[in-house]
Amino acid sequence: MQEKFLIVCEGGSDVAILESLAEYFKKQITPLAPQRDATSGTFPKFGFGSVLNWCRSNSRKIDLFLDFAGAKSILIHLDTDIAVEINRLEFEQGRAPRECCERILDQYVESFRQNNKVYYLLPTQNMDTWVLACLNLSVVSLENGIYNRVPDYEKISKEDLVSLLSMLGVGKGYDSYKDISKSIIGEIERVKLACSEFMYLCSILE
């Protein structure tokens, strides 16, 4: 029987990437939130506020969710580009965005991390850094100067990330990212080396 993980994430694009990685590692992923709309078949935009609200509302139900689903752990995802919005004080004190997000999530579910019932997924900026790491940046014209400013995917600015993905024609939504996930899987070792949170996720699913 496949090992099962439950996920809480910001939207359908994130679900698509996590599902594809789970399939690669022969694991099963079931979204707790957001859930696919039964009528349209699409995932509603959930966002970081909804992720935090879910953690706040369900912090005492973690064991119930795991037992009912027969799952090993819950993966809780937040993009770290919102660190200043949810933890301005510590962000302005110099804490790293990932740590700022981690400390907010700890207010609700920290105790479940100690026995690996909950894992946090906190990618640099957002999961688009993983997408960018699997693509061929050499096709981007050097004349715009952006390519030369991305020596390290763990330090990329949100502005450069958005610009590069736009130039490369990367679309949005579940279906688009399900297709892009094939490229991530095809370049999985490269993405691991480029993005530490991606490597961390792979170590959980292996």
Side-chain angles (χ1 to χ4, degrees):
M1 180 180 293
Q2 286 185 322
E3 206 168 40
K4 181 186 290 187
F5 292 84
L6 305 177
I7 58 172
V8 177
C9 57
E10 292 196 26
S13 300
D14 308 305
V15 173
I17 292 176
L18 294 173
E19 281 182 347
S20 296
L21 277 170
E23 290 166 10
Y24 175 79
F25 287 110
K26 296 181 171 55
K27 302 294 193 297
Q28 183 180 348
I29 286 280
T30 299
L32 276 175
Q35 295 187 352
R36 191 188 295 270
D37 182 81
T39 303
S40 66
T42 62
F43 286 93
K45 182 173 176 56
F46 204 57
F48 72 88
S50 295
V51 171
L52 293 177
N53 285 337
W54 187 95
C55 293
R56 186 181 299 114
S57 301
N58 294 285
S59 61
R60 297 183 180 181
K61 301 177 185 176
I62 300 297
D63 284 323
L64 179 65
F65 286 128
L66 292 173
D67 291 344
F68 183 79
K72 177 182 179 180
S73 305
I74 300 176
L75 309 179
I76 299 176
H77 155 252
L78 272 182
D79 293 334
T80 60
D81 57 2
I82 49 79
V84 67
E85 297 181 58
I86 65 173
N87 193 353
R88 179 176 294 276
L89 177 62
E90 293 190 299
F91 183 86
E92 292 181 344
Q93 289 175 345
R95 289 194 184 276
R98 189 190 189 286
E99 188 177 3
C100 290
C101 294
E102 183 178 63
R103 289 166 73 89
I104 293 298
L105 289 173
D106 276 348
Q107 294 177 10
Y108 311 119
V109 294
E110 180 181 18
S111 62
F112 294 99
R113 297 178 66 199
Q114 298 169 6
N115 50 14
N116 297 331
K117 291 183 177 181
V118 164
Y119 292 97
Y120 301 159
L121 298 180
L122 305 170
T124 299
Q125 299 295 354
N126 53 59
M127 286 192 194
D128 282 340
T129 53
W130 305 352
V131 173
L132 194 63
C134 81
L135 299 176
N136 182 8
L137 288 186
S138 65
V139 303
V140 179
S141 171
L142 296 180
E143 293 177 2
N144 57 53
I146 293 178
Y147 176 72
N148 291 328
R149 295 204 301 271
V150 191
D152 186 343
Y153 292 100
E154 293 299 323
K155 297 178 181 178
I156 189 171
S157 70
K158 186 173 183 178
E159 293 73 22
D160 283 357
L161 180 60
V162 170
S163 296
L164 280 164
L165 290 171
S166 176
M167 289 178 208
L168 290 163
V170 176
K172 284 291 184 182
Y174 177 88
D175 291 336
S176 176
Y177 273 66
K178 196 69 174 177
D179 189 54
I180 291 169
S181 294
K182 297 174 186 176
S183 298
I184 294 177
I185 298 301
E187 297 290 346
I188 192 167
E189 294 303 323
R190 187 165 107 189
V191 182
K192 280 184 184 179
L193 290 174
C195 305
S196 60
E197 198 73 1
F198 181 84
M199 181 179 285
Y200 172 65
L201 172 58
C202 290
S203 72
I204 295 170
L205 296 176
E206 284 175 346

